[in-house]
């Protein structure tokens, strides 16, 4: 009986896949890369088209020997070798290097891509093996060579001019420059004083409400000093106010797209206070498989290194059925939502989502660590929310006018909104997404245009302009992505190095 060999990156993934495929396959792990450029020299032939000089990584020779032995046994039994590393450029490079060592020219070495570690996905991938993708491999080599050239050529300058132990990197150094430019802007910032004025008003019916001064004689209110602010107070003292305009309209808030790598990193940082490195580590665990009691090891999410908001038709239909059953038809839009990718997206893999809605967070919670559960809930909620209806608000804007003793017109504005229909926000609230604490909107009483209202108090408040904030991991990832610097899959390593070097 033939027995084929499947080689993956990690033992966790090997265990999960082995359970799905049974005795006809032997699944072994390479424990990541088996080859790399040498540590002790440049390892790039500058005189020969930048040819890389890869070698077996120190400590990996035993693993390579075991993989070769297993491959020979597979060929001898009439089986094949399947390389099932992660479905990205890095995974392709690992697969290519393994193929070189296990007789990749034999015609019995194939590439399989698991976008999610579920039984159906694994079996479908095994039924449709592919050749190795040289273009993807070459792209990874080019990036690795550039990393090496920048690191080996620039780092010695840092050792000489700054101190030993520092390093430069193709993306890392650009990220460091962004941090330095922000720090220069903070140090150069000169704070300026300004004042705001808030009126506390009451109409014919409660409750009282607040409105801010925003125009003086049709020009934006710009009060630079205490004297200017208190001159306004004196001018308004004892004067009457009336409502000149009330604008009411319904507004809608659309759901956010499903997670890609960078938005997952940013949201986990804001909501869960996870570092980028921690987010990717936990996402990898959820992707590779978690032991779920009697079900064994199950992959809970799709591949977590992606720049695409695309969702499979099956996943969308599964979400729509779940929403209809759990929340009712009122929360289900008439058609599935489709989100546009950025022009720079490679679109190799679909968005990050639960691998199956059969694994509800509460059902799998007993088998997850606290951090695994929290990240899984975040991914679950964002995925379902992206296929729900908009949130609808009744928004009111009230314009209040007061004439000063000097005949200057002072215009105040009050805004308030009431949620009419929660839509997707029952799962994924805007306030949390934007990193703000929940804050109640101003509650406005029943009012009509031309109503006279009373000013209970006029309150001045001093402020000072603030310098731009220092970057957090979340905001630095966002900045790198917006500038097209690096790839989301490398952000964790870049940020980790910047912090490890104490830059």
């Amino acid at each position: 009986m033939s027995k084929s060999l499947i080689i993956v990156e990690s033992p966790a993934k090997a265990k999960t896949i082995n359970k799905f495929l049974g005795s006809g396959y032997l699944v072994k792990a390479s424990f990541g890369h088996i080859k790399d450029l040498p540590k002790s020299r440049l390892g790039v032939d500058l005189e020969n088209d930048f040819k890389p000089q890869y070698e077996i990584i120190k400590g990996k020779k035993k693993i390579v020997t075991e993989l070769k032995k297993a491959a020979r046994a597979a060929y001898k039994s009439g089986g094949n070798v399947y390389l099932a590393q992660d479905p990205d450029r890095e995974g392709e490079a690992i697969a290519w290097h393994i193929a070189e060592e296990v007789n990749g020219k034999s015609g019995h070495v194939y590439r399989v891509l698991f976008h999610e570690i579920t039984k159906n996905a694994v079996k479908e991938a095994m039924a449709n093996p592919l050749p190795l993708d040289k273009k993807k491999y070459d792209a990874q080599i080019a990036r690795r060579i550039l990393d090496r050239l920048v690191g080996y050529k620039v780092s010695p300058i840092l050792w000489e001019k700054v101190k030993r132990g520092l390093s430069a990197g193709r993306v890392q150094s650009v990220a460091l420059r962004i941090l330095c430019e922000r720090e220069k802007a903070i140090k150069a910032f000169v704070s300026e004083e300004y004042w705001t004025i808030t009126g506390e008003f009451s109409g014919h019916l409660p409750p009282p409400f607040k409105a801010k001064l925003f125009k003086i004689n049709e020009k934006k209110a710009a009060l630079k000093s205490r004297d200017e602010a208190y001159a306004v107070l004196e001018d308004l003292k004892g004067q009457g106010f009336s409502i000149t305009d009330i604008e009411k309209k319904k507004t809608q808030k659309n759901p956010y797209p499903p997670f890609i790598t960078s938005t997952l990193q940013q949201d986990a940082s804001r909501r869960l206070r996870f570092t980028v490195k921690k987010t990717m580590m936990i996402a990898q665990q959820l992707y590779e498989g978690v032991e779920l009691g009697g079900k064994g090891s199950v992959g809970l999410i799709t591949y977590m290194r992606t720049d695409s908001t695309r969702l499979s038709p099956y996943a969308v239909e599964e979400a729509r059925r779940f929403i209809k059953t759990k929340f009712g038809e009122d929360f289900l839009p008439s058609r599935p939502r489709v989100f546009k990718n950025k022009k720079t997206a490679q679109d190799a893999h679909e968005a990050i989502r639960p691998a199956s809605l059969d694994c509800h967070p509460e059902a799998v919670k007993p088998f997850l660590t606290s951090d695994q559960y929290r990240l899984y809930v975040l991914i679950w909620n964002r995925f379902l929310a992206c296929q729900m209806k908009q949130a609808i608000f009744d928004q009111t804007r009230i314009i209040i006018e007061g004439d000063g003793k000097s005949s200057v017109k002072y215009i105040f504005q009050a805004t308030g909104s009431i949620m009419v229909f929660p839509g997707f926000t029952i799962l994924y609230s805007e306030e949390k997404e934007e990193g703000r604490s929940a804050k109640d909107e101003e509650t406005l009483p029943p009012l009509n245009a031309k109503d006279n209202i009373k000013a209970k108090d006029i309150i001045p408040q001093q402020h000072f302009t603030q310098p731009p904030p220092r970057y957090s991991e979340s905001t630095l990832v966002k900045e790198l992505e917006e500038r097209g610097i690096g790839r989301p899959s490398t952000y964790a390593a870049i940020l980790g190095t910047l912090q490890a070097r104490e830059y």
Side-chain angles (χ1 to χ4, degrees):
M1 179 183 172
S2 64
K3 189 162 186 172
S4 291
L5 171 67
I6 301 175
I7 303 174
V8 298
E9 290 179 49
S10 74
K13 191 192 288 188
K15 187 176 181 182
T16 305
I17 292 168
N18 194 54
K19 183 197 71 170
F20 295 148
L21 297 177
S23 60
Y25 296 89
L26 173 65
V27 187
K28 295 186 77 69
S30 70
F31 294 85
H33 283 276
I34 62 164
K35 288 184 178 182
D36 197 6
L37 299 175
K39 282 194 170 184
S40 57
R41 64 183 192 279
L42 181 63
V44 178
D45 189 346
L46 302 181
E47 306 301 322
N48 186 19
D49 291 330
F50 298 93
K51 185 176 180 180
Q53 298 161 348
Y54 282 102
E55 59 183 35
I56 302 293
I57 296 170
K58 187 178 180 181
K60 287 294 185 78
K61 288 186 178 179
K62 183 179 178 182
I63 292 170
V64 172
T65 301
E66 290 176 357
L67 293 178
K68 284 182 174 181
K69 184 180 177 182
R72 284 195 299 269
Y75 299 143
K76 191 173 181 180
S77 72
N80 300 313
V81 173
Y82 298 94
L83 304 174
Q85 284 65 41
D86 285 351
D88 57 11
R89 284 177 297 194
E90 207 71 23
E92 204 69 28
I94 298 172
W96 198 279
H97 290 154
I98 293 172
E100 290 177 336
E101 295 299 316
V102 299
N103 193 16
K105 296 179 182 178
S106 67
H108 293 281
V109 175
Y110 300 95
R111 181 80 163 104
V112 287
L113 303 176
F114 301 145
H115 298 288
E116 56 188 71
I117 311 298
T118 59
K119 190 171 185 177
N120 288 339
V122 168
K123 288 195 169 184
E124 185 178 344
M126 293 301 297
N128 298 281
L130 304 165
L132 274 82
D133 189 337
K134 190 174 189 305
K135 289 182 178 179
K136 197 183 283 186
Y137 168 60
D138 285 343
Q140 196 278 339
I141 289 180
R143 191 168 69 180
R144 186 72 188 95
I145 290 171
L146 286 170
D147 286 340
R148 177 54 62 99
L149 292 176
V150 172
Y152 265 63
K153 295 296 183 182
V154 181
S155 294
I157 299 172
L158 294 175
W159 302 343
E160 182 183 337
K161 301 294 184 183
V162 186
K163 73 171 185 176
R164 300 288 298 182
L166 300 181
S167 67
R170 177 177 55 89
V171 179
Q172 170 198 321
S173 297
V174 181
L176 180 58
R177 175 172 177 167
I178 290 171
L179 295 177
C180 291
E181 288 174 344
R182 175 58 60 90
E183 196 63 23
K184 284 181 181 178
I186 291 170
K187 288 182 177 179
F189 185 83
V190 178
S191 183
E192 294 182 0
E193 179 184 7
Y194 71 99
W195 287 70
T196 59
I197 291 178
T198 303
E200 291 189 353
F201 297 98
S202 61
H204 298 300
L205 296 170
F209 64 99
K210 293 178 181 179
K212 285 197 170 183
L213 176 68
F214 82 112
K215 282 187 178 180
I216 301 175
N217 274 349
E218 299 302 326
K219 290 184 179 180
K220 183 180 177 182
L223 306 174
K224 300 291 186 182
S225 67
R226 176 187 175 87
D227 289 346
E228 289 182 17
Y230 276 84
V232 171
L233 261 65
E234 183 60 34
D235 202 22
L236 285 170
K237 197 170 186 180
Q239 299 299 102
F241 295 86
S242 63
I243 295 172
T244 58
D245 188 32
I246 297 178
E247 181 184 279
K248 293 183 178 181
K249 62 178 180 179
K250 274 191 166 50
T251 59
Q252 295 182 339
K253 177 70 177 174
N254 288 321
Y256 298 89
F259 281 131
I260 60 175
T261 304
S262 58
T263 53
L264 176 64
Q265 291 169 347
Q266 292 168 49
D267 223 36
S269 174
R270 281 192 297 257
R271 293 170 176 251
L272 308 180
R273 299 294 182 261
F274 286 179
T275 63
V276 169
K277 182 179 179 180
K278 181 175 181 177
T279 298
M280 296 309 291
M281 179 188 71
I282 296 171
Q284 184 90 33
Q285 294 165 358
L286 295 174
Y287 163 69
E288 290 186 344
V290 178
E291 286 290 334
L292 300 182
K295 292 183 179 180
S297 185
V298 176
L300 293 178
I301 65 170
T302 53
Y303 191 55
M304 63 285 157
R305 293 185 180 93
T306 178
D307 57 9
S308 174
T309 56
R310 172 174 54 84
L311 293 167
S312 71
Y314 166 78
V316 172
E317 282 307 308
E318 189 182 25
R320 286 175 63 81
R321 284 195 300 269
F322 186 94
I323 292 165
K324 184 177 179 180
T325 302
K326 177 75 174 177
F327 302 102
E329 288 195 13
D330 288 345
F331 286 84
L332 188 67
S334 58
R335 288 181 293 183
R337 292 189 181 279
V338 179
F339 299 89
K340 285 186 178 180
N341 282 326
K342 292 184 177 180
K343 290 181 180 179
T344 55
Q346 295 178 8
D347 198 26
H349 321 291
E350 64 175 299
I352 303 168
R353 61 168 175 82
S356 170
L357 295 185
D358 290 336
C359 294
H360 192 281
E362 294 308 311
V364 300
K365 185 177 182 180
F367 308 103
L368 304 181
T369 66
S370 172
D371 288 341
Q372 287 173 337
Y373 171 74
R374 292 166 71 203
L375 190 65
Y376 185 50
V377 168
L378 193 63
I379 293 167
W380 175 280
N381 287 348
R382 175 96 166 207
F383 167 62
L384 284 175
C386 85
Q387 292 300 318
M388 298 178 83
K389 278 189 176 178
Q390 306 101 320
I392 301 174
F393 300 86
D394 272 339
Q395 196 166 55
T396 303
R397 178 172 174 262
I398 298 174
I399 302 299
I400 300 163
E401 192 174 293
D403 289 326
K405 299 170 193 169
S406 61
S407 298
V408 172
K409 286 192 181 301
Y410 297 96
I411 300 170
F412 291 75
Q413 177 179 266
T415 58
S417 65
I418 298 171
M419 181 181 283
V420 177
F421 177 69
F424 75 95
T425 64
I426 59 172
L427 284 178
Y428 195 90
S429 68
E430 178 188 1
E431 289 80 9
K432 286 184 179 179
E433 195 281 333
E434 294 181 353
R436 303 190 302 265
S437 59
K439 184 179 179 182
D440 292 333
E441 291 279 354
E442 182 74 37
T443 302
L444 300 174
L447 295 166
N448 297 297
K450 308 301 180 184
D451 279 357
N452 291 321
I453 56 174
K454 292 181 180 178
K456 297 176 66 179
D457 202 359
I458 306 290
I459 304 165
Q461 190 172 4
Q462 184 186 39
H463 308 270
F464 293 91
T465 55
Q466 298 296 313
R470 288 188 174 93
Y471 286 104
S472 64
E473 285 201 0
S474 172
T475 55
L476 182 56
V477 164
K478 186 175 182 180
E479 185 74 17
L480 291 170
E481 184 185 34
E482 287 178 351
R483 296 195 191 195
I485 298 168
R487 300 296 302 167
S489 58
T490 64
Y491 291 157
I494 292 164
L495 270 59
T497 302
L498 288 173
Q499 293 176 72
R501 299 282 186 271
E502 298 186 341
Y503 285 136

